[in-house]
Amino acid sequence: MKHIWIATAFAAASGQPCLAQTTVQWQLATGYRAESFHTQNIERMAADLARASAGRLRIEVKPNNVLVKLADIRQAVQDGKVQAGETIMTSMVKEIPIAGADAVPFVVGSYADARRMWTLQRPLIDQHFAARGLQALYAVPWPPQGLYTDTPVRTAADFRGARMRTYNQTTERIAELLGATPVDVPMVEVNQALATGRITSMITSAVTGVENQVWGRAKYYYEINAWFPKNIVFVNRKAFEALAPDLQQMLLAAGQEAETRGWAMSQAAAAEATNELRSRGLQVGRVSPDFEADLKRMGEKFSLEWVRSVGNEANRIFVPYYVDSKR
């Protein structure tokens, strides 16, 4: 683990001898753009930490894959090549299957549900991270995944004959369960695919829809809140333990504050993007109660399949989650 130590000196006005103050300089790798609210939240955490520690701990944020590629960040932090990092939790499922709980479709339906899910998921993530020499700081969700269509949707039957954009096994399975034809389309080709009728529906967030300016092609946006994928920020445990105890506490406190702020930023981004879609002419709303019930049944099916694939550890999340949901 390479640290950058910066010695600074200062003298008191009384003429006392200079005292040495050591600054620990870390780097944090993320694969997301500097403009992303996730990256902005990390930057604020770093600024808060530098201020609280009087400059003794500084974190330089390296966005947009410039330091480490997104898919490699967890391993790079684990190996000590970089002190801290951020990645989307679903990128860790091969090594840590329990990290995929927040991406099981139609289980959580609101930010409050997503928070309950994270409360149950966090202790298990902490255990897996500890075994790999990592220390989690916080996690923040992306805005929820919504449904875009070119015609109104009232029931699941309306998807028969539709062409749904897919990009992984989960979205392919959703299309098949709805009776739609799955069409693999990368996001950069979505506008063209919508304009030509290659796809007639897709599931993605309001934020992504705004970024890709889907108005004029997609006509309806349904807030189905299919899932709330989360990004997680974490550090190398040896680097963490090498910090002075007060710096450790400052870092953990800054992480807790960043989590609270980040969830609020995510909700704000979702609301702003949804309003933008509405202002651009899309019909925005919820699906019918009957279709919503269909989606919940799909969520139960997906969660059972996920529990079978992950094993007993998954029950430590979903059993209490569903029990609490029915209270």
Side-chain angles (χ1 to χ4, degrees):
M1 173 65 61
K2 181 181 178 182
H3 291 270
I4 302 174
W5 303 94
I6 304 173
T8 61
F10 64 91
S14 60
Q16 293 293 322
C18 290
L19 301 175
Q21 177 180 320
T22 302
T23 294
V24 180
Q25 183 80 42
W26 281 8
Q27 290 185 318
L28 187 151
T30 178
Y32 297 96
R33 299 177 300 118
E35 297 81 9
S36 165
F37 76 87
H38 283 286
T39 307
Q40 292 172 357
N41 190 32
I42 296 172
E43 291 278 13
R44 287 184 63 179
M45 181 191 73
D48 290 347
L49 187 59
R51 182 168 53 253
S53 67
R56 292 166 55 210
L57 177 57
R58 296 184 179 275
I59 298 178
E60 182 183 13
V61 181
K62 294 287 190 177
N64 206 31
N65 294 304
V66 297
L67 190 61
V68 183
K69 298 296 183 184
L70 180 64
D72 301 326
I73 287 175
R74 184 196 60 80
Q75 192 64 51
V77 176
Q78 182 174 324
D79 293 343
K81 295 178 181 178
V82 61
Q83 292 87 7
E86 177 199 37
T87 192
I88 191 164
M89 287 180 62
T90 52
S91 71
M92 306 189 298
V93 294
K94 287 185 179 179
E95 290 286 330
I96 308 174
I98 208 73
D102 60 334
V104 181
F106 312 120
V107 174
V108 300
S110 65
Y111 275 94
D113 288 346
R115 171 63 75 178
R116 286 196 298 114
M117 175 74 76
W118 175 231
T119 299
L120 295 167
Q121 191 182 21
R122 173 72 188 258
L124 302 177
I125 293 294
D126 285 341
Q127 291 175 19
H128 284 283
F129 270 22
R132 290 166 173 79
L134 298 170
Q135 168 77 48
L137 291 184
Y138 69 89
V140 168
W142 289 93
Q145 305 296 290
L147 172 65
Y148 294 83
T149 65
D150 65 352
T151 56
V153 170
R154 297 178 182 84
T155 69
D158 291 331
F159 283 92
R160 292 170 190 159
R163 294 176 293 280
M164 179 175 280
R165 181 231 174 190
T166 58
Y167 54 89
N168 58 20
Q169 290 183 339
T170 297
T171 51
E172 286 176 10
R173 185 108 167 86
I174 292 171
E176 290 166 358
L177 288 172
L178 288 172
T181 300
V183 183
D184 186 3
V185 176
M187 184 52 68
V188 293
E189 297 177 12
V190 158
N191 273 341
Q192 182 182 13
L194 286 168
T196 61
R198 184 181 170 198
I199 59 173
T200 57
S201 63
M202 65 177 180
I203 294 177
T204 193
S205 71
V207 172
T208 301
V210 169
E211 288 176 347
N212 289 272
Q213 300 182 5
V214 300
W215 40 83
R217 298 168 180 87
K219 295 180 174 61
Y220 298 86
Y221 177 72
Y222 294 97
E223 298 176 281
I224 60 173
N225 295 347
W227 60 91
F228 288 73
K230 293 192 294 290
N231 279 10
I232 188 165
V233 176
F234 51 97
V235 303
N236 179 280
R237 194 164 187 86
K238 287 184 178 179
F240 175 79
E241 291 174 347
L243 296 174
D246 65 324
L247 291 182
Q248 292 179 9
Q249 293 306 309
M250 289 178 193
L251 178 57
L252 294 176
Q256 289 178 350
E257 186 173 348
E259 180 163 291
T260 299
R261 180 176 58 239
W263 282 68
M265 293 173 75
S266 179
Q267 287 183 270
E272 181 180 354
T274 301
N275 288 335
E276 177 72 7
L277 292 176
R278 186 180 288 110
S279 72
R280 295 289 184 170
L282 273 76
Q283 297 294 312
V284 176
R286 301 286 299 183
V287 295
S288 70
D290 287 343
F291 187 33
E292 191 163 3
D294 289 338
L295 295 179
K296 287 182 178 179
R297 283 190 287 271
M298 287 175 60
E300 292 172 359
K301 185 178 184 65
F302 273 110
S303 59
L304 285 172
E305 292 174 351
W306 184 75
V307 167
R308 291 192 192 105
S309 68
V310 173
N312 289 333
E313 189 177 33
N315 283 320
R316 294 170 61 185
I317 296 176
F318 277 7
V319 170
Y321 177 82
Y322 277 116
V323 168
D324 188 55
S325 296
K326 294 176 181 178
R327 289 176 181 171

